[in-house]
Amino acid sequence: MKIRSAQLKDVEAISDVHIKSWKQTYTDIVPEKYLSTLSIEEKRQLWTRVIPNGGVYVVQNDHGDVIGFASGGKERTGTYEQYEGELYAIYLLKQYQGRGIGNKLFQVLVNDLKTKEIQSMVVWVIAENSSRLFYEKMGGVPIDKKEIDIGGVLVEEIAFGWTSLK
């Protein structure tokens, strides 16, 4: 396993992991109709814009295949004064979960934020997503909730916060 900064050559692989992870994670949470509309082209456009700004890391398996990624930076809403940073996304293909890889990927992103003098962080996670337990295990504390519309269905999101990154 290897974790490294994402490069534009990773756009296709990150986009693929992004869509596969959504389909694996949210099958019984968001409408199937919505999941079927996820577009590889839209994800390519997204990651082509995001990667050059930094703060994106990929994890590769022993064969060099991208199996997960994380993205983060400054907190985007300005709503949470005590939280300077934000974990925007962290996805790991289901067959690689539960092996400590997510922990390592999380820590790489935290270290990146700390090099930018960001000492606190927030992440939003869909409440029904079992990954929320991962954030609790990593020391996140619930700080807020909101409802969002995904494919015509209201789902609850929980914000987890870390006031001091380790």
Side-chain angles (χ1 to χ4, degrees), residues 70-127:
S71 171
K74 290 186 176 189
E75 196 277 324
R76 296 176 283 193
T77 68
T79 304
Y80 307 96
E81 291 179 18
Q82 69 274 37
Y83 299 98
E84 306 163 87
E86 184 174 349
L87 171 59
Y88 305 143
I90 184 167
Y91 292 105
L92 187 61
L93 294 176
K94 194 171 197 95
Q95 63 265 39
Y96 293 95
Q97 294 175 8
R99 300 182 189 182
I101 300 168
N103 296 9
K104 291 176 183 165
L105 190 56
F106 179 90
Q107 194 58 54
V108 166
L109 186 70
V110 165
N111 291 341
D112 178 66
L113 293 175
K114 288 172 26 180
T115 66
K116 297 172 182 165
E117 299 186 11
I118 295 173
Q119 301 300 321
S120 56
M121 177 178 77
V122 64
V123 64
W124 285 94
V125 61
I126 294 174

Side-chain angles (χ1 to χ4, degrees), residues 18-23 26 30 32-43:
H18 196 163
I19 288 176
K20 283 180 180 172
S21 293
W22 261 76
K23 289 181 177 182
Y26 299 117
V30 302
E32 180 60 37
K33 184 178 177 183
Y34 176 82
L35 293 174
S36 68
T37 66
L38 293 175
S39 161
I40 194 81
E41 185 53 39
E42 284 179 19
K43 298 304 179 201

